[in-house]
Amino acid sequence: MKWKGVKKLKRSHSIIQVENVFGKKLPPEYKTLILICNNGYPEPNLLNLQDKKGKVFGELLNFNLDEKGNILEHYSWMKDKLPLNVFPITITPGGDYLCYNYQENSASPTIVYWDHEQNSDIINDERIISENQKYNLDFVANTIVELLSQLNENDTDEIDTGDVVTLWEDFLNEEELKKLSDKDLEEVNYRRARQGWAPIEK
């Protein structure tokens, strides 16, 4: 997997600032991903939900809090459209979001898909989304690592010399690495071989 459009994280303390606003600790593997791939998007970049195929992962929201369109700005724009304890982490080209859902487990959130095209009413020239529509979230994955390992190939062969390769071994143990796709595990084992380490086998 490669990452494009990455913006260097200016201050790692920004992650703590976001956690303070959310009132929740972000998962460590997600924080590691932000440190390496802030505001980037992966290739492949497509995901399948239970009843929706070919949805887009989109791009990680930006943790450079001095820039327009950062993660806290996105949260301020949409928090009244989300249930409590649900926080955006990516945005798709179509304006949908992947979010962390802390509703069932405040220490280990799942990832859900929030579709902006929800039923709503216009009251006094204002678009109002009903409470039950706020909770229309589709389960995607238990962790960001699980989600990234499930992304599908897209139909482009574009090559970008500015790609960032995901170093899975930086934030996964050996048992977790065994669950990667064959292609990703092959890349991990290639790097391990260059360091004189034994390959990981499923």
Side-chain angles (χ1 to χ4, degrees):
M1 172 178 290
K2 295 182 178 180
W3 288 82
K4 298 184 177 183
V6 172
K7 292 182 180 177
K8 182 178 179 180
L9 185 63
K10 298 174 183 177
R11 297 173 61 242
S12 59
H13 185 70
S14 296
I15 296 175
I16 297 174
Q17 289 180 257
V18 172
E19 289 179 320
N20 289 340
V21 172
F22 287 177
K24 299 291 182 184
K25 288 290 185 184
L26 295 167
E29 64 272 19
Y30 171 67
K31 291 192 280 190
T32 300
L33 188 63
I34 293 301
L35 288 170
I36 301 170
C37 303
N38 177 54
N39 207 200
Y41 63 93
E43 285 195 348
N45 196 22
L46 300 180
L47 60 97
N48 294 326
L49 308 184
Q50 188 170 3
D51 57 351
K52 299 174 185 175
K53 305 298 182 184
K55 290 292 184 177
V56 179
F57 175 92
E59 65 182 28
L60 296 169
L61 291 176
N62 188 3
F63 273 71
N64 288 327
L65 303 181
D66 61 339
E67 297 179 4
K68 289 186 177 181
N70 64 65
I71 187 170
L72 292 184
E73 285 192 2
H74 279 274
Y75 179 55
S76 69
W77 298 334
M78 66 179 302
K79 63 182 178 182
D80 63 335
K81 302 178 181 70
L82 289 172
L84 292 175
N85 298 319
V86 176
F87 306 97
I89 58 173
T90 80
I91 183 170
T92 73
D96 300 332
Y97 289 84
L98 288 172
C99 303
Y100 270 130
N101 182 1
Y102 289 82
Q103 291 177 314
E104 295 181 5
N105 189 328
S106 62
S108 183
T110 58
I111 298 174
V112 294
Y113 191 95
W114 182 83
D115 190 335
H116 79 283
E117 293 182 356
Q118 302 181 64
N119 294 329
S120 61
D121 297 311
I122 304 298
I123 301 175
N124 297 328
D125 296 325
E126 184 178 354
R127 182 172 180 254
I128 304 296
I129 297 175
S130 63
E131 283 298 316
N132 63 336
Q133 284 297 323
K134 291 183 183 181
Y135 289 81
N136 187 17
L137 304 171
D138 292 316
F139 173 81
V140 177
N142 289 301
T143 67
I144 192 72
V145 173
E146 179 181 296
L147 168 57
L148 293 174
S149 69
Q150 294 172 357
L151 294 179
N152 303 314
E153 294 288 348
N154 57 25
D155 57 3
T156 178
D157 293 321
E158 178 185 358
I159 297 175
D160 183 348
T161 56
D163 291 346
V164 176
V165 177
T166 302
L167 300 179
W168 296 99
E169 59 271 31
D170 281 355
F171 53 97
L172 297 180
N173 61 39
E174 291 197 9
E175 287 303 311
E176 292 170 325
L177 289 171
K178 291 178 182 179
K179 299 176 184 177
L180 292 175
S181 68
D182 291 343
K183 181 178 178 181
D184 286 332
L185 185 57
E186 181 180 348
E187 292 176 359
V188 169
N189 282 332
Y190 173 75
R191 291 190 291 270
R192 288 175 64 89
R194 293 183 66 182
Q195 297 179 48
W197 297 350
I200 294 173
E201 298 180 359
K202 290 190 175 183

